[in-house]
Every structure is written in structure tokens, then in C-alpha cells.
């Protein structure tokens, strides 16, 4: 009889544990889905005007994604590499699929974008901050918006700007070089600030605004 009672108790305990494990696993699945579905909470006036530009990246603990959370970028070299590789992947996708590239308000480490097929859809680096040097080489931009962008050393080498281009109120810190590049449509540099800039064999085929 004593052995029977022990066996029954063991069965009840195992059954209860099983039920608890099921509930716990279900909770973990629900939490994982909630985290995965939580999008970046970054706000921009452009998002209100053009909803398709909204950031759809997964939010981190602070409610911002890896591109919009400056503390994530500055935390480690590993994080810098993650941001860089993720952005290059987005760039390649935008080019291949001919989709707009929205990098509005991004915090970007040093980066090289070169020898690619080029952008055939609009590109938005509006309000972005390049925390390291940036090089754009041997590629083309359609319409591009670098308004309010902060550069910390940038080179545009063998770049064709085939559409309307804006560097309105951009900050060009450090060395800026436009080398053998061409602006085929109007370009707006109004209120842009330069520390050290060179235009080497660069052509402006339409109006270039500098005020």
C-alpha cells in the first residue's frame, strides 16, 4: 500500500510539472513573438508624410532599433560591425529590388559602399549621423536626400547623381572630397557647412545652390 501511494504521488507531481512546463513554454513563445513584432519607435516628420519610409526594424530594449539607438553603436566594436553589415545588406536589397532606401535618423559607423549596381529608387539619409568616415565609390544615386546629415569625413568617388539631390543643412566635418563625380540634376547645398572640401573633376550639369 505504501508503495502504491508513493507511485500515485509521483505521477501527480510529474503531471503538474508537465502542465507547468507547457504553460511556461507557451509564455516564452508569446514573449518571443511579442519581442519580434515590436518595431522601432523612432519618430520622424518624414514618416508622417511618407508612411512607407517608417522604420520596421526590430526594437531593442530602449524601444529603438540597432540603427537608431546610438548607445548600441557605441557600446562595442562588435556592435559597430553588426550595424555596418546589416546596413550593407539593406543597401544591396534596395539596389537589387529597386526599392527606396530609408536610413532616416540612422547612426552609422565608418563604412564603404562601392562597386555596386547603384540606386534606381530614392535614397534617404536624412538626419543621419555618420560617426566614422564614409566612402561612396563607383556607383550611382537616383534621387537622394542627405538633408541635415552629419558626416565625419566623406568621399564621393566616381559617383553619378542622376536625380534631384539635397545636402540641405548638412554638416561636413573633417575632409570632404567629391572626385570625378557628376550631378546631372539640381543639387541643393543651401546652409550646408564644410570644414575642408575639394571638388576634383566634378561636374554640375544643372543648378547647384550654395547659400
Amino acid at each position: 500500500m505504501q508503495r502504491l501511494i508513493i507511485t500515485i504521488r509521483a505521477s501527480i507531481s510529474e503531471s503538474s510539472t508537465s502542465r507547468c512546463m507547457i504553460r511556461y513554454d507557451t509564455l516564452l513563445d508569446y514573449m518571443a513573438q511579442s519581442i519580434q513584432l515590436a518595431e522601432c519607435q523612432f519618430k520622424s516628420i518624414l514618416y508622417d508624410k511618407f508612411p512607407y519610409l517608417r522604420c520596421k526594424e526590430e526594437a531593442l530594449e530602449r524601444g529603438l532599433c540597432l540603427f537608431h539607438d546610438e548607445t548600441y553603436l557605441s557600446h562595442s566594436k562588435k556592435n559597430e560591425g553588426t550595424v555596418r553589415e546589416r546596413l550593407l545588406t539593406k543597401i544591396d536589397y534596395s539596389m537589387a529590388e529597386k526599392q527606396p532606401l530609408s536610413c532616416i535618423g540612422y547612426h552609422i559607423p565608418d563604412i564603404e559602399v562601392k562597386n555596386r549596381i547603384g540606386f534606381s529608387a530614392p535614397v534617404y539619409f536624412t538626419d543621419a549621423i555618420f560617426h566614422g568616415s564614409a566612402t561612396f565609390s563607383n556607383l550611382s544615386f537616383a534621387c537622394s536626400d542627405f538633408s541635415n546629415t552629419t558626416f565625419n569625413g566623406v568621399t564621393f568617388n566616381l559617383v553619378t547623381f542622376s536625380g534631384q539631390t539635397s545636402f540641405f543643412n548638412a554638416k561636413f566635418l573633417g575632409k570632404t572630397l567629391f572626385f570625378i563625380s557628376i550631378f546631372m540634376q539640381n543639387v541643393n547645398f543651401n546652409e550646408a557647412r564644410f570644414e575642408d572640401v575639394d571638388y576634383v573633376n566634378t561636374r554640375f550639369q544643372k543648378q547647384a545652390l550654395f547659400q
Side-chain angles (χ1 to χ4, degrees):
M1 178 64 70
Q2 185 176 5
R3 182 182 302 173
L4 178 61
I5 294 174
I6 292 174
T7 301
I8 293 174
R9 285 177 177 171
S11 299
I12 293 174
S13 178
E14 290 173 2
S15 177
S16 300
T17 302
S18 177
R19 285 198 300 271
C20 289
M21 287 300 295
I22 292 173
R23 292 174 183 171
Y24 183 65
D25 290 344
T26 302
L27 177 60
L28 287 179
D29 290 341
Y30 174 79
M31 291 174 63
Q33 292 174 7
S34 298
I35 293 174
Q36 185 176 7
L37 293 175
E39 292 184 354
C40 178
Q41 299 302 303
F42 181 79
K43 305 294 183 183
S44 170
I45 295 176
L46 285 176
Y47 290 174
D48 297 330
K49 296 174 63 176
F50 308 105
Y52 66 90
L53 294 178
R54 290 181 182 277
C55 184
K56 297 179 176 59
E57 295 289 333
E58 180 180 335
L60 304 177
E61 293 180 358
R62 293 162 56 90
L64 299 173
C65 69
L66 76 170
F67 293 117
H68 286 117
D69 190 343
E70 184 177 0
T71 59
Y72 177 85
L73 178 65
S74 62
H75 184 264
S76 69
K77 289 293 183 181
K78 179 180 179 181
N79 287 0
E80 284 187 14
T82 300
V83 173
R84 184 182 301 108
E85 292 304 314
R86 174 67 179 139
L87 179 54
L88 289 173
T89 298
K90 287 172 66 72
I91 288 172
D92 287 338
Y93 176 83
S94 171
M95 291 180 175
E97 300 298 324
K98 298 179 172 56
Q99 295 295 316
L101 176 68
S102 177
C103 300
I104 298 168
Y106 277 19
H107 293 276
I108 303 170
D110 56 286
I111 192 168
E112 287 189 3
V113 184
K114 61 182 182 179
N115 301 325
R116 283 169 160 78
I117 59 177
F119 297 98
S120 57
V123 174
Y124 300 86
F125 280 98
T126 319
D127 298 317
I129 299 177
F130 288 83
H131 291 266
S133 62
T135 298
F136 298 91
S137 180
N138 195 26
L139 54 84
S140 62
F141 287 90
C143 296
S144 52
D145 189 357
F146 292 91
S147 299
N148 302 312
T149 300
T150 298
F151 296 98
N152 282 279
V154 60
T155 297
F156 293 94
N157 175 53
L158 295 170
V159 173
T160 298
F161 297 89
S162 61
Q164 298 281 342
T165 304
S166 178
F167 289 98
F168 175 80
N169 199 41
K171 294 180 182 178
F172 293 89
L173 307 178
K175 180 66 177 180
T176 300
L177 176 62
F178 291 90
F179 184 76
I180 314 181
S181 294
I182 181 171
F183 293 88
M184 301 178 68
Q185 301 296 329
N186 295 342
V187 54
N188 184 359
F189 284 101
N190 283 344
E191 298 188 32
R193 283 156 284 179
F194 298 90
E195 286 189 347
D196 183 7
V197 59
D198 281 326
Y199 302 92
V200 180
N201 294 327
T202 293
R203 291 183 294 160
F204 298 89
Q205 292 189 338
K206 294 292 181 68
Q207 190 175 25
L209 302 176
F210 291 89
Q211 292 183 2

